[in-house]
Amino acid sequence: MTYAIYHIPGVKIGVTNNIKSRVEEQQGYSEGEYEILEMSDDIDYISKRELYLQERHGYRVDRQLYKDIFNNNFIELNNMNINVTEMTSTFPCPVNKLKGQLMDNIGMKWETDAGSVMITEQSIKWIMNNVKSSQYTSDRCYVYNKAFARWFDNNNPFEQACNTQCDDCGDDLFNCIRNWANERGLYDKGDPKTQYIKLMEETGEIGRAILKNDTEQIIDGIGDAVVVLTNLAELCGVPIEDCIQEAYNVISKRTGKMVNGTFVKDN
């Protein structure tokens, strides 16, 4: 197989084994708008040469060698049949089924014009917060490649989420949430009013999930709501643990009975 290093002046340097498909059909460039810099049958050589030429010409240097992305594309992309174009990565399922598909494909990588991306526990959260339904069919959804690749550049996609008890820091989940929010400047620049609006959005998501009997989305929505409540409490200067304790002190003394699925307290 022959690999070509192509150059789109002012845009990028990349590698492909099919110029017409990759550069013309997927990226929309015509002959004369790009040039072939080198060709080789040696994927090891061409992979290292690509990074060298990217750096030499002042372009963004890929995080992975082409040979690693190439091999991964042909082995793992078939799991989900992601359609990668110049602007977007489209997933072959509706939004409400996407998270499960992504969880089944953790470790999967693919190349976009903006850089290589990968499915990790952390990147799944970004995808689910930014995915959009296709305007042509509800059976597909997509993310914008540039935004996804930028998130990879600015975050640690392999950062592990906290467990119920964080073994490394000794903190519980509420402290993990506060540490996460503080590191991102939420308490310095955040506003209780915007967090309240966010809370309303999350409860709306929970309601929709309940109507659909979607357990996965119910869990996701309740978890997100707890995170927002934790940050809202902190922005108001009251730890969420104090709020929960105060509420429990009150309800623990209540008596009443269930009426039509609702607990009604005694007068």
Side-chain angles (χ1 to χ4, degrees), residues 186-254:
L186 192 148
Y187 299 144
D188 291 333
K189 302 177 182 178
D191 186 301
K193 294 186 290 295
T194 58
Q195 285 300 300
Y196 175 75
I197 293 172
K198 180 67 174 173
L199 179 62
M200 294 302 98
E201 293 175 356
E202 297 298 349
T203 55
E205 291 293 331
I206 295 170
R208 284 187 285 274
I210 291 173
L211 291 174
K212 295 178 181 178
N213 197 28
D214 189 331
T215 303
E216 186 175 277
Q217 288 301 309
I218 291 172
I219 293 171
D220 188 70
I222 291 175
D224 287 344
V226 170
V227 170
V228 175
L229 278 170
T230 303
N231 293 329
L232 175 58
E234 193 71 14
L235 286 166
C236 290
V238 184
I240 192 170
E241 294 94 332
D242 290 357
C243 300
I244 296 172
Q245 186 64 60
E246 182 66 23
Y248 180 74
N249 289 343
V250 174
I251 66 172
S252 63
K253 300 177 177 65
R254 282 179 182 166

Side-chain angles (χ1 to χ4, degrees), residues 4-8 12-16 19 22-23 27 35:
I5 298 179
Y6 62 90
H7 178 212
I8 304 172
K12 67 173 293 186
I13 286 176
V15 172
T16 182
I19 285 289
R22 179 65 179 158
V23 181
Q27 301 184 33
E35 59 182 337

Side-chain angles (χ1 to χ4, degrees), residues 63-64 69 72-73 76-77 80 82-84 88-91 102 105 107-112 115-119 123 127 143 145 148:
R63 290 180 295 272
Q64 286 185 289
I69 299 171
N72 197 72
N73 279 344
E76 294 185 322
L77 272 180
M80 287 188 73
I82 297 175
N83 181 28
V84 183
T88 63
S89 292
T90 299
F91 306 103
L102 295 173
N105 285 278
M108 180 177 174
K109 309 171 188 175
W110 65 95
E111 182 185 13
T112 76
S116 56
V117 293
M118 181 177 181
I119 298 176
S123 69
I127 291 172
V143 294
N145 294 331
F148 194 13

Side-chain angles (χ1 to χ4, degrees), residues 52-84:
Y52 168 78
L53 291 173
Q54 286 174 340
E55 183 175 9
R56 179 182 176 186
H57 288 268
Y59 291 109
R60 180 182 181 280
V61 179
D62 289 342
R63 290 180 295 272
Q64 286 185 289
L65 291 171
Y66 172 77
K67 66 177 182 178
D68 297 330
I69 299 171
F70 175 85
N71 290 334
N72 197 72
N73 279 344
F74 276 80
I75 294 172
E76 294 185 322
L77 272 180
N78 291 328
N79 291 349
M80 287 188 73
N81 295 316
I82 297 175
N83 181 28
V84 183

